[in-house]
Every structure is written in structure tokens, then in C-alpha cells.
Amino acid sequence: MEEGKNKDISELDAMKRLAEILNDSPQIIKLGGREFPLKPLRYGAQWLIAEESCKIAKADETFSDIVNRFAANGDAVIRCICIAILNDKEKIEGKEYQDLWDFIRWETNPSEWIIILTKILQMLDYATFCFGCEVIHSLRQSLTKTHQQQSSPQPHPQEK
């Protein structure tokens, strides 16, 4: 009977989350005594978060491995939080990003960061996240292979 109750709660949470996404309703997060609206993530923001994850992850790691790596990399967590809160290309590339990054780094408690990051990761479209990580890893491998080929000495053709 308890299992059915948990299923109802998770379905209710899922329906609530779907309604928030469809209505573009922000979640309000508290960070360092300030409140920030956290809207459903745009595709570009999701891609940037996936890219940030790839910077700290090794190839073929699971999602939980990536989360564990985040726990040990505060700067990556802050970048993901900034990307998610700003959720706009111009803001992410502008002064707002640096101002928010400085606020989070210097005026908040790192114990708040992982709670916020967990909320952000729950907002990601998992397929987009995995696709982004796969593409980035593939590009890295291709570039590394190309660089190695260009760096290795090439045999000179022998004259006949």
C-alpha cells in the first residue's frame, strides 16, 4: 500500500512539473538571502550545462558519476547555476553573468550550491544532456586524433 502512495506522489510531482514547464512558471530558489526565478531551461542553456559537465567528466561516465564530479568542482557548479538562472544568451555572455558569478562565489554558502544544482539537473531534458555530452566527447576525440596525426612525423615519399 505504501508503494502506491509513493507512486501517486511522484505522479503528482511529475504533473506539477509538467504544468510549470507548459506555463513557463519559474521555481523560486533562495541563494545567499536573495531569491531568483528559475524558469524552464532553454535548449541553449541545457547545452551549455552539458558542455560544462563534459569539461569535468571523463568519457563513458554515468550521470551519477558526473554529479559526483560536480560535488568536487565548485567553479563548475557556479557556472551551471549562473547559466540556469540567467537562461538567456545575451545575459550569459554579458556583465550579468560575472556579477552573478561573483555574488555566488563570495556571498553564498557552498552547501546551498549542491541543492540548487540538483534542482537544475532535474530540469534538464535528459536526452538533450546525454546527446550534448556525446557530441562534445566525440569532437574532443576527433580533435585529439587530428592533432596527434598532425604532430607525428610523416614519412617522406621515396623517389623511384
Side-chain angles (χ1 to χ4, degrees):
M1 193 66 152
E2 189 67 30
E3 185 178 318
K5 185 177 181 181
N6 289 339
K7 183 180 176 190
D8 290 341
I9 291 171
S10 64
E11 286 178 10
L12 182 60
D13 288 341
M15 289 189 303
K16 179 182 174 188
R17 185 71 194 116
L18 179 60
E20 288 173 350
I21 291 169
L22 293 174
N23 291 326
D24 202 24
S25 301
Q27 295 181 38
I28 303 300
I29 58 170
K30 293 183 181 182
L31 193 57
R34 290 173 53 186
E35 291 185 347
F36 297 94
L38 194 58
K39 290 189 169 192
L41 298 173
R42 294 179 177 171
Y43 184 79
Q46 291 185 45
W47 184 272
L48 290 173
I49 292 169
E51 185 177 46
E52 193 61 42
S53 301
C54 289
K55 288 178 186 175
I56 64 170
K58 295 179 181 172
D60 300 327
E61 286 191 320
T62 65
F63 191 72
S64 61
D65 293 333
I66 293 170
V67 172
N68 288 333
R69 288 201 177 270
F70 268 120
N73 191 325
D75 287 347
V77 173
I78 294 172
R79 283 190 287 275
C80 289
I81 291 171
C82 289
I83 290 166
I85 289 173
L86 297 174
N87 202 18
D88 179 87
K89 182 181 180 191
E90 289 180 13
K91 290 179 182 177
I92 292 168
E93 293 175 350
K95 186 178 180 329
E96 290 107 329
Y97 177 89
Q98 189 61 48
D99 292 344
L100 182 58
W101 197 94
D102 288 342
F103 168 75
I104 293 171
R105 167 55 84 200
W106 299 108
E107 298 181 38
T108 64
N109 186 336
S111 64
E112 296 176 290
W113 303 349
I114 201 69
I115 295 167
I116 304 298
L117 180 65
T118 302
K119 288 182 182 185
I120 292 166
L121 294 176
Q122 288 173 346
M123 295 173 70
L124 291 175
D125 174 46
Y126 188 71
T128 300
F129 179 81
C130 291
F131 176 72
C133 287
E134 287 175 21
V135 168
I136 292 164
H137 281 300
S138 294
L139 286 172
R140 278 185 185 163
Q141 288 175 340
S142 295
L143 291 172
T144 301
K145 185 177 178 181
T146 302
H147 179 69
Q148 288 172 345
Q149 288 172 346
Q150 291 174 350
S151 300
S152 64
Q154 300 293 321
H156 294 288
Q158 295 178 350
E159 294 184 352
K160 293 183 181 180

